[in-house]
Amino acid sequence: MNFQIKSFLEYQETYQKSVTNPEAFWAEMAENFVWRKKWDEVLNWNFKDPKIEWFSGAKLNITENCIDRHLADKGDQPAIIWEANDPQEHHRILTYKQLHQKVNLFANVLKNNGVKKGDRICIYMPMVPELAIAVLACARIGAIHSVVFGGFSAQSIADRIKDAQCEMVITADGGFRGAKDIPLKNVIDDALVQCPSVKTVIVLTRTRTPISMIKGRDKWWEDEIKKVETLGLIDCEPEIMDAEDKLFILYTSGSTGKPKGVVHTCAGYMVYAAYTFQNVFQYQPKDIYFCTADIGWITGHSYIIYGPLAQGATTLMFEGVPTYPDAGRFWDIVDKFKVNILYTAPTAIRSLMQSGLDYVKDKDLSSLKVLGSVGEPINEEAWNWYNENIGKGNCPIVDTWWQTETGGIMISPIAGVTKTKPCYATLPLPGIQIELVDEKGQVIEGNDVSGNLCIKFPWPGMIRTTYGDHERCLQTYFATYENKYFTGDGCLRDEDGYYRITGRVDDVINVSGHRIGTAEVENAINMFTDVVESAVVGYPHEIKGQGIYAYVILNDHTEDEELTRKDIAMTVSRIIGAIARPDKIQFVKGLPKTRSGKIMRRILRKIAEGDVSNLGDTSTLLDPSVVEQIKNEKL
Ligand code: WT7
């Protein structure tokens, strides 16, 4: 593969080329893939509908690019290395040949169960190789996967299944995460009470937890594999897909109460995920690459599965959590497999940093060459700790900024090529045309400025639509500023032209690198019987980056505040999932509102942040006394 940038000068030249003639640039990059038919047109777009088409007319299957094309020269090379939650359990290695066999067999299982191109399949699985196999098997036959993170509740899964009208669910009896067993199939059973569209559930055996298997609907993964083997259905010809056929849906939160199904399509996403993987991490043949994300998030889609496999890399998948059995687990894994590239999240770094250096000191980390960070702004202390104690000052840190909607990394150093700076995502990758704008949409030129981060030109990995509701895609991303994609992030450009992401400027909280809409949490809190009204904001949290702070008005005075807090937290876990549980719940008599009834979140945010000295303009408040009460009783 020859699209790897090797020097800063080359980066600058490539960037210039990519913005002067984006179509020629991406067409050249796309030559590095296997196409059944080449494109008629590289790009066809407008941000008004929006309409985004890359490589239209082209035909391909992404799994041919991620698997088949590597068989000849890398068939026996590990494609996936899997490390179990329990360090005593043996790890597994799947070579490209083995991955090919397993994906083909399971693709035949899907077909044998009536799945066709375009059908939606919900995947709710633990981090085991079969999750990657299920994803790739969907892609092989052109079924659209919708992976739901294992931490979401039955209600959240049901909402996502109904939104996409999924025909099938692929799950496991349970999953191991640290010291806990997650009862995945039980959660699915609860979800499916609301989901008549689901005809079949395939269940992988993992934990051996007792589960119910419903006749006619539920089938064991292992039995289904045997069935297709018996039928001699071993190989599965890849479905030939159009460039713009849907590849997957991934739900993400926004400012409103309802998660959006972000849609990515086959060709552009593939080219972008692979191109960015190769360049940002500077992957070299035989490198062991370890991304600690969960496949339930976009990072896992683009940088555990599609990007690395498209490049014939060895990708390491870890089932467990950073702190189990102790806070040295990541370093044990790096040591055990001689990991060369490690890609993780600031929240993990901060938590391991807090556990102290005892967990790092006897581990051999000398194999590491490149360190990555993703999901939220990385604070200077964590950046330095990562650099000194993990990279030993020898590994470039790539602080990668991107989003579920962007499909791949957008602003990031290129390892060893771009000079890094703590807390800075640094410079846009080739093809990415950034603009900072003010509230009115005026473009802010020059350096040493800050504004709202927008992208003014399409890139191949960008969102195409929000599933089932194209208007929502338009309104959310393309309507705030005319003719630009708006990211929802604030950003500054320093005197060197380097970019630093300052955080969300909308009503979204970033908790441990996971995006959570305040409206969603409020809706969940409001479902609790005694709650009249609530307002949720983020506040700085030492480990999670941001924590969830909820102001709640109760119907009646509660006897036991602590118990009521627990009940409310439990309600949120039930409705959304444990990831959305408020960290702090303050009971209040009223919320600061304008005369027109709008909650003044700015004030609530300031109080939650502990910055009450200057609450800004409070002259429009309906009842200033509520602010006094909230301030005085702050948690
Ligand atoms: C939001 C996207 C992209 C995969 C993980 C999260 C924040 C992401 C960084 C970074 C500062 C970052 C932004 C963005 N974010 N990476 N390197 N520095 N902030 O995906 O759930 O779609 O969230 O995460 O606020 O908008 P996501």
Side-chain angles (χ1 to χ4, degrees):
M1 243 98 325
N2 60 5
F3 50 39
Q4 193 157 316
I5 293 167
K6 293 182 196 68
S7 69
F8 193 66
L9 186 66
E10 193 185 345
Y11 159 74
Q12 288 174 311
E13 285 168 5
T14 309
Y15 187 82
Q16 262 325 310
K17 216 166 73 179
S18 77
V19 301
T20 330
N21 194 344
E23 302 189 21
F25 172 74
W26 287 114
E28 197 185 323
M29 297 307 115
E31 292 295 339
N32 289 286
F33 297 84
V34 175
W35 304 92
R36 290 296 183 107
K37 174 182 173 286
K38 290 273 174 71
W39 48 92
D40 301 320
E41 208 177 352
V42 180
L43 173 62
N44 185 3
W45 72 288
N46 74 65
F47 280 173
K48 292 202 167 55
D49 294 340
K51 173 166 118 176
I52 315 289
E53 291 174 356
W54 281 94
F55 309 112
S56 55
K59 303 225 179 259
L60 76 157
N61 186 291
I62 195 168
T63 69
E64 261 192 316
N65 284 276
C66 288
I67 310 174
D68 302 54
R69 70 158 154 169
H70 307 308
L71 293 177
D73 61 334
K74 291 183 184 148
D76 296 318
Q77 181 201 295
I80 297 178
I81 299 178
W82 174 78
E83 170 75 1
N85 178 62
D86 179 351
Q88 304 302 318
E89 183 175 341
H90 212 280
H91 66 267
R92 287 169 61 190
I93 292 179
L94 293 181
T95 64
Y96 273 97
K97 260 188 211 153
Q98 291 165 328
L99 182 64
H100 181 259
Q101 284 160 358
K102 289 189 184 287
V103 168
N104 276 263
L105 270 181
F106 195 67
N108 281 329
V109 166
L110 297 178
K111 277 186 163 172
N112 209 34
N113 279 282
V115 180
K116 301 175 306 299
K117 173 179 172 182
D119 288 353
R120 277 82 49 223
I121 298 192
C122 172
I123 303 181
Y124 186 67
M125 289 180 82
M127 278 286 287
V128 292
E130 284 74 13
L131 165 51
I133 291 165
V135 163
L136 291 163
C138 288
R140 187 127 185 122
I141 66 167
I144 302 165
H145 56 77
S146 164
V147 183
V148 177
F149 174 62
F152 279 112
S153 69
Q155 185 58 49
S156 292
I157 300 164
D159 292 342
R160 285 157 176 73
I161 290 176
K162 283 187 286 189
D163 187 74
Q165 287 293 297
C166 295
E167 276 85 359
M168 178 188 268
V169 174
I170 306 172
T171 188
D173 48 0
F176 298 119
R177 261 178 82 78
K180 279 188 269 187
D181 290 5
I182 316 286
L184 297 171
K185 175 60 163 62
N186 287 346
V187 177
I188 290 294
D189 287 339
D190 288 345
L192 293 190
V193 174
Q194 304 181 38
C195 304
S197 65
V198 173
K199 304 288 180 295
T200 313
V201 180
I202 310 252
V203 186
L204 178 81
T205 309
R206 176 65 187 131
T207 55
R208 281 271 141 247
T209 345
I211 58 167
S212 77
M213 291 290 284
I214 304 298
K215 194 183 295 166
R217 187 193 74 180
D218 300 352
K219 301 172 179 183
W220 289 107
W221 175 296
E222 297 78 9
D223 293 347
E224 292 304 297
I225 293 281
K226 276 193 206 114
K227 244 187 250 168
V228 293
E229 277 176 333
T230 314
L231 291 167
L233 301 169
I234 307 300
D235 274 347
C236 174
E237 275 302 303
E239 183 78 28
I240 305 308
M241 306 290 282
D242 287 335
E244 286 295 340
D245 278 339
K246 293 181 178 62
L247 175 63
F248 67 84
I249 307 170
L250 189 56
Y251 285 86
T252 187
S253 300
S255 307
T256 66
K258 195 170 165 271
K260 302 175 285 273
V262 172
V263 172
H264 286 288
T265 55
C266 294
Y269 173 80
M270 170 184 77
V271 169
Y272 197 68
Y275 177 79
T276 51
F277 170 76
Q278 188 68 46
N279 276 293
V280 170
F281 300 107
Q282 294 283 302
Y283 185 87
Q284 300 299 322
K286 298 214 159 52
D287 277 352
I288 308 290
Y289 161 85
F290 175 22
C291 168
T292 70
D294 191 288
I295 289 173
W297 310 108
I298 189 71
T299 309
H301 284 60
S302 302
Y303 299 113
I304 295 179
I305 301 182
Y306 289 116
L309 295 179
Q311 294 305 98
T314 296
T315 176
L316 196 156
M317 212 178 138
F318 172 42
E319 183 183 32
V321 297
T323 49
Y324 181 83
D326 64 38
R329 191 66 193 280
F330 278 180
W331 324 128
D332 288 332
I333 296 174
V334 169
D335 192 340
K336 176 174 175 187
F337 296 103
K338 304 296 167 224
V339 170
N340 305 109
I341 303 167
L342 175 69
Y343 190 27
T344 192
T347 187
I349 298 166
R350 285 189 297 264
S351 129
L352 299 178
M353 177 170 92
Q354 216 176 50
S355 308
L357 287 173
D358 276 357
Y359 295 101
V360 187
K361 71 172 193 283
D362 298 324
K363 315 292 158 76
D364 178 7
L365 306 181
S366 61
S367 54
L368 287 172
K369 297 193 293 189
V370 174
L371 301 176
S373 170
V374 62
E376 51 175 314
I378 177 164
N379 49 309
E380 191 150 3
E381 200 190 349
W383 197 98
N384 287 330
W385 187 87
Y386 198 28
N387 182 38
E388 285 158 26
N389 299 294
I390 306 308
K392 317 287 182 195
N394 287 322
C395 303
I397 295 180
V398 291
D399 176 0
T400 64
W401 175 84
W402 59 296
Q403 312 179 294
T404 304
E405 295 85 346
T406 69
I409 298 168
M410 303 284 282
I411 308 179
S412 170
I414 295 177
V417 166
T418 314
K419 198 164 166 291
T420 62
K421 195 186 238 187
C423 310
Y424 281 78
T426 74
L427 297 170
L429 293 181
I432 306 309
Q433 303 190 33
I434 291 177
E435 262 174 355
L436 300 184
V437 302
D438 66 17
E439 299 293 302
K440 295 194 191 77
Q442 288 297 320
V443 176
I444 306 168
E445 309 279 0
N447 287 350
D448 203 6
V449 292
S450 64
N452 289 345
L453 178 59
C454 295
I455 321 288
K456 71 167 178 192
F457 194 85
W459 64 99
M462 75 184 296
I463 181 174
R464 298 302 196 267
T465 187
T466 43
Y467 194 82
D469 190 352
H470 194 61
E471 177 64 20
R472 194 163 172 211
C473 177
L474 172 67
Q475 289 307 329
T476 312
Y477 306 105
F478 300 92
T480 318
Y481 302 112
E482 204 187 334
N483 230 3
K484 301 182 205 315
Y485 167 84
F486 176 44
T487 63
D489 280 316
C491 181
L492 65 83
R493 182 166 52 221
D494 76 357
E495 58 287 354
D496 302 326
Y498 268 33
Y499 290 91
R500 174 178 183 160
I501 311 300
T502 48
R504 303 288 307 193
V505 294
D506 52 6
D507 290 324
V508 169
I509 316 180
N510 191 325
V511 182
S512 301
H514 304 314
R515 208 197 295 187
I516 293 171
T518 52
E520 264 181 89
V521 183
E522 288 164 6
N523 291 346
I525 292 174
N526 296 349
M527 297 198 47
F528 184 69
T529 168
D530 289 334
V531 170
V532 179
E533 198 180 4
S534 64
V536 165
V537 296
Y539 73 99
H541 187 286
E542 222 187 321
I543 306 278
K544 301 181 186 181
Q546 282 191 295
I548 302 179
Y549 198 115
Y551 299 92
V552 175
I553 307 176
L554 291 178
N555 229 330
D556 252 326
H557 179 72
T558 167
E559 289 295 309
D560 186 337
E561 287 204 346
E562 227 12 75
L563 197 59
T564 309
R565 281 198 183 91
K566 285 189 181 144
D567 288 342
I568 291 174
M570 175 53 87
T571 309
V572 176
S573 284
R574 277 260 178 251
I575 304 296
I576 306 174
I579 47 171
R581 281 169 80 108
D583 297 278
K584 293 189 179 177
I585 298 175
Q586 180 180 349
F587 296 118
V588 297
K589 292 205 177 62
L591 292 167
K593 287 189 181 170
T594 61
R595 286 184 190 92
S596 59
K598 222 169 128 14
I599 296 176
M600 295 179 75
R601 285 167 189 285
R602 178 175 50 81
I603 294 179
L604 293 174
R605 232 177 271 133
K606 285 252 178 199
I607 298 175
E609 286 165 4
D611 174 17
V612 292
S613 57
N614 175 19
L615 291 181
D617 182 11
T618 52
S619 61
T620 52
L621 267 176
L622 182 61
D623 176 6
S625 74
V626 298
V627 175
E628 286 311 307
Q629 188 232 346
I630 294 174
K631 255 167 48 178
N632 294 337
E633 293 170 18
K634 178 188 178 312
L635 298 175

